[in-house]
Amino acid sequence: MFKDPDYITENNNGDIVVSDYWHGVVVANHEGNYRFTYIDTPFGSRLLPRGICTDTLSNILVCDCYTETVMILDKVGRYLLHIPKDLSLGPLGKPCSVSYDWNNHLLWIGSWNNTLSRYRHIHRRYDLSG
């Protein structure tokens, strides 16, 4: 299932989400059974994932070294949108790590040029109790 796993996280329903440099984003359920892989991008290039995290909606946020963006996938692996590097990190940034602040719905994005940026990801609080 993995060739070169780099980063790992877990989403709200217990899925294990892994960024694998050669296999893309690989997701397994909480028992370790394969669910899906995401490797293609809407840009016609292959995904070269690094940092990875999930948000309150179980969306997957992954840094892509090739396109220098942060890709956002839904919990079943469908592409939703991306954060371009010029919007999130400035002209010299290349995203390599990402973390989600559950309290403020912010993304913290680290880049290869030693910068840390924040990005407002979800603009309103969601009630996840029901």
Side-chain angles (χ1 to χ4, degrees):
M1 192 172 355
F2 307 109
K3 183 173 182 180
D4 187 11
D6 291 313
Y7 298 89
I8 186 168
T9 191
E10 182 179 0
N11 69 10
N12 291 338
N13 65 359
D15 286 345
I16 307 303
V17 184
V18 177
S19 69
D20 185 300
Y21 195 73
W22 297 107
H23 289 166
V25 174
V26 181
V27 179
N29 67 15
H30 66 280
E31 295 173 344
N33 298 318
Y34 175 81
R35 289 204 52 227
F36 64 86
T37 298
Y38 180 86
I39 189 99
D40 298 319
T41 70
F43 310 109
S45 62
R46 168 184 168 322
L47 180 69
L48 296 175
R50 298 310 267 175
I52 196 163
C53 69
T54 59
D55 65 16
T56 55
L57 303 174
S58 292
N59 292 325
I60 301 165
L61 301 103
V62 60
C63 297
D64 180 20
C65 289
Y66 191 80
T67 62
E68 299 183 4
T69 62
V70 175
M71 298 277 180
I72 302 177
L73 314 173
D74 69 10
K75 63 184 174 184
V76 295
R78 289 183 299 236
Y79 171 83
L80 296 175
L81 60 108
H82 68 280
I83 302 168
K85 76 171 187 171
D86 57 347
L87 178 62
S88 61
L89 299 171
L92 299 175
K94 184 176 189 178
C96 61
S97 61
V98 62
S99 180
Y100 181 74
D101 177 347
W102 291 73
N103 295 321
N104 299 307
H105 303 291
L106 295 172
L107 290 181
W108 289 95
I109 304 169
S111 73
W112 289 105
N113 68 349
N114 297 321
T115 60
L116 182 64
S117 302
R118 68 179 181 188
Y119 176 81
R120 170 98 25 216
H121 174 54
I122 296 176
H123 294 284
R124 64 184 179 107
R125 293 192 181 268
Y126 290 92
D127 180 8
L128 300 177
S129 62

